[in-house]
Amino acid sequence: MLGAAGAGLVRRLRAGTQVWLWGSGLHAGDWRPSAGRGPLGRRTSLPAAAIVNSSPRPLQSYLRLIRLDKPIGTWLLYLPCTWSIGLAAEPGCFPDWYMLSLFGTGALLMPGAGCTINDKWDQDYDKKKVTRTANRPVAAGDISNFQSFVFLGGQLTLALRVLLCLNYYSIALGAASLLLVITYPLMKRITYWPQLALGLTFNWGALLGWSAVKGSCDPSVCLPLYFSGIMWTVIYDTIYAHQDKRDDARIGFKSTALLFREDTKQWLSGFTVAMLGALSLLGVNIGQTVPYYTAVVVVGAHLAHQSYILDIHRPADCWDKFTSNRTIGLIIF
């Protein structure tokens, strides 16, 4: 009975949150990892893609630049924000809907800015060395470097306006993440752990959401939550990176997929244990009860099953497992 109720709740959460995001226009941002590797063009979100295709033609290149037709990146950036906003709510109360909306707007703008930065860094690789990325707007010449620079400035300006709606502590904390946003696309050129850099970047909202509601960060809450989010990101982006491992090896890019190779499942199991341990510690620190730990168990089962049936040599299967992580984020929320 509990399992059926939980499954129904997840379905309603997924459907309701999807409607809210699409209704608010918050459905941008394809996946630009692996650590800035760029978006995966295999599948699109049909409602979002329809919006792009029905837009005026001069606008379509910019909408595709920010991956408006592929919303998974926005989801994975947004969900850690919802975790901390939910934790900051008073017991027995719903999370602050204004904060959820505000962070949803930021989750639309920042992945778009990251995609723009990524495509500027990688345009030569996208154009000449990877077939599936040759039609990206910057690589294809639909948007010039100058136009993308101006567009990036506009995105960051709007993101700043959103940030300025928060308290002073959160404004400073949010501004501190900009260095990570700019540099993480470069990590694949430097280290085999670009997924870790992505985790540090994509889970900043786990810190920011709490401080936006409470006025500052509580280390006993924010640090375990941030760490669990980082482990989660390393899990799903390692799976994602297995799709591009041949191209990455040929070009000279690095990733955890190339580092772990056939030992990937063992590493994913270790990251899963670390994530669940951090979530459990968080629950103890903040006095969570049975529903929270039930969700942690469900998340652990999902991750274990995901790793067990994963076929790292089939890109389509990697993509399916990667996108299923949105469900994990919704369960935790």
Side-chain angles (χ1 to χ4, degrees):
M1 183 175 177
L2 177 62
L9 176 60
V10 169
R11 285 195 296 272
R12 290 194 295 274
L13 274 173
R14 293 179 68 180
T17 310
Q18 243 179 340
V19 169
W20 175 72
L21 281 174
W22 287 336
S24 305
L26 308 180
H27 39 28
D30 162 46
W31 196 231
R32 50 187 201 291
S34 298
R37 178 65 178 86
L40 183 72
R42 291 186 176 87
R43 300 188 184 181
T44 62
S45 173
L46 293 179
I51 291 173
V52 173
N53 293 332
S54 63
S55 300
R57 187 167 297 277
L59 185 60
Q60 289 185 20
S61 294
Y62 289 95
L63 298 182
R64 290 194 170 92
L65 177 62
I66 64 172
R67 319 305 193 248
L68 195 66
D69 53 340
K70 300 163 188 151
I72 186 63
T74 288
W75 277 107
L76 295 175
L77 179 69
Y78 178 58
L79 285 167
C81 305
T82 70
W83 302 349
S84 57
I85 293 171
L87 281 172
E90 293 299 321
C93 298
F94 283 109
D96 187 323
W97 290 104
Y98 172 72
M99 285 297 175
L100 289 173
S101 301
L102 201 63
F103 276 75
T105 304
L108 167 65
L109 291 168
M110 289 312 294
C115 288
T116 304
I117 294 170
N118 175 79
D119 284 10
K120 285 174 67 64
W121 284 125
D122 284 356
Q123 59 182 299
D124 290 337
Y125 294 101
D126 291 341
K127 183 177 182 179
K128 301 175 181 178
K129 298 186 177 182
V130 183
T131 302
R132 71 173 179 84
T133 61
N135 62 348
R136 289 178 181 168
V138 176
D142 297 331
I143 297 175
S144 69
N145 275 318
F146 177 75
Q147 289 171 323
S148 65
F149 183 78
V150 173
F151 184 55
L152 175 62
Q155 291 173 281
L156 293 177
T157 299
L158 291 174
L160 178 61
R161 292 293 299 271
V162 172
L163 186 62
L164 292 177
C165 294
L166 305 180
N167 56 60
Y168 290 124
Y169 183 99
S170 299
I171 291 172
L173 184 63
S177 70
L178 190 57
L179 181 63
L180 290 171
V181 173
I182 293 172
T183 57
Y184 89 80
L186 296 174
M187 292 298 105
K188 61 184 176 288
R189 296 169 168 84
I190 300 171
T191 175
Y192 279 102
W193 290 89
Q195 281 67 33
L196 182 59
L198 181 69
L200 294 169
T201 307
F202 248 53
N203 292 282
W204 203 258
L207 307 176
L208 197 56
W210 179 276
S211 73
V213 176
K214 295 293 190 180
S216 63
C217 284
D218 180 347
S220 68
V221 176
C222 295
L223 292 183
L225 186 64
Y226 186 47
F227 179 80
S228 66
I230 293 170
M231 294 296 99
W232 181 47
T233 301
V234 174
I235 292 168
Y236 64 64
D237 199 44
T238 296
I239 294 172
Y240 178 91
H242 270 285
Q243 300 169 112
D244 290 327
K245 57 190 174 186
R246 291 184 180 84
D247 284 336
D248 286 344
R250 178 169 52 84
I251 294 170
F253 286 168
K254 301 176 177 66
S255 72
T256 48
L258 291 174
L259 179 64
F260 301 157
R261 298 183 182 273
E262 297 301 322
D263 293 330
T264 291
K265 291 188 177 185
Q266 291 92 312
W267 281 93
L268 294 182
S269 298
F271 296 135
T272 296
V273 171
M275 177 185 178
L276 297 177
L279 288 174
S280 299
L281 175 62
L282 168 64
V284 171
N285 289 347
I286 204 170
Q288 287 291 332
T289 54
V290 171
Y292 175 84
Y293 293 106
T294 301
V296 172
V297 170
V298 173
V299 165
H302 184 121
L303 287 170
H305 181 256
Q306 171 182 273
S307 296
Y308 180 74
I309 66 174
L310 172 67
D311 185 347
I312 60 174
H313 302 298
R314 288 184 56 234
D317 187 61
C318 292
W319 172 255
D320 288 339
K321 301 303 184 294
F322 163 70
T323 56
S324 74
N325 279 270
R326 185 183 69 168
T327 301
I328 291 175
L330 287 171
I331 291 170
I332 296 174
F333 175 51

